[in-house]
Amino acid sequence: IGYVQRENDILTERDFSGLTGRLSADYLASGKTTLTAAIYREIENAYESFASYLINTGGTLEAEWAASAKLTVRANVGFENRVYEGAFVSLIGPQRDDDTLAGSLSLTYAPVPMASFDLGVQAGRRNSNIDVYSYTFHAVFVSVRMDF
């Protein structure tokens, strides 16, 4: 938990001050199962012409099960609200405000400690007060990781 203060020397509309941080907790349900919950409020630089920063507030729930020494199953769900702030002039109408709900399910195979293969699916929806920024998504992902 912290306090952030940003000041713009010319455009005071882009100033921000407030609490930010992340709290998380892990629960080891068994030797093979871990549950994790987190909540957060963070500030992020905006790469948009109508905002200089975003306030992201959300939470996640994650579960991990080590099915065997080499196979792990993971599931997570998360919600995030993003408010676009710090506009000098609102050129497109209302201040943008997005809500995103997403989840994923994945399987990790680690044949040796230095290598892992992931396969998973992800889905979600973003609702915005500006319709052109709303969407739903579905994805399948595959990744390979080697540690040296």
Side-chain angles (χ1 to χ4, degrees):
I1 301 292
Y3 184 83
V4 175
Q5 184 171 345
R6 288 175 43 151
E7 294 181 5
N8 187 298
D9 292 338
I10 299 168
L11 303 172
T12 59
E13 294 84 0
R14 296 183 172 190
D15 292 352
F16 170 81
S17 60
L19 291 175
T20 60
R22 179 178 292 264
L23 294 173
S24 65
D26 294 331
Y27 173 65
L28 304 174
S30 72
K32 294 185 172 197
T33 305
T34 303
L35 304 173
T36 302
I39 57 171
Y40 58 89
R41 181 175 192 254
E42 300 168 338
I43 185 171
E44 175 185 346
N45 288 330
Y47 300 99
E48 305 281 346
S49 59
F50 56 85
S52 63
Y53 63 90
L54 291 82
I55 302 296
N56 303 331
T57 306
T60 59
L61 295 173
E62 300 177 9
E64 181 178 299
W65 173 54
S68 71
K70 297 181 180 187
L71 197 62
T72 303
V73 179
R74 290 182 181 85
N76 74 45
V77 64
F79 172 81
E80 181 174 75
N81 172 257
R82 302 180 111 196
V83 179
Y84 291 71
E85 298 274 3
F88 175 62
V89 175
S90 180
L91 301 176
I92 61 170
Q95 175 179 305
R96 184 171 161 193
D97 188 334
D98 299 343
D99 290 330
T100 304
L101 179 64
S104 68
L105 180 64
S106 65
L107 184 64
T108 301
Y109 174 64
V112 293
M114 63 181 270
S116 64
F117 302 89
D118 292 315
L119 173 64
V121 294
Q122 184 179 31
R125 165 178 276 163
R126 178 168 76 183
N127 293 317
S128 179
N129 65 327
I130 301 172
D131 288 338
V132 296
Y133 294 110
S134 296
Y135 61 85
T136 59
F137 65 92
H138 300 86
V140 174
F141 59 88
V142 176
S143 68
V144 177
R145 179 180 169 139
M146 298 291 291
D147 295 324
F148 298 97

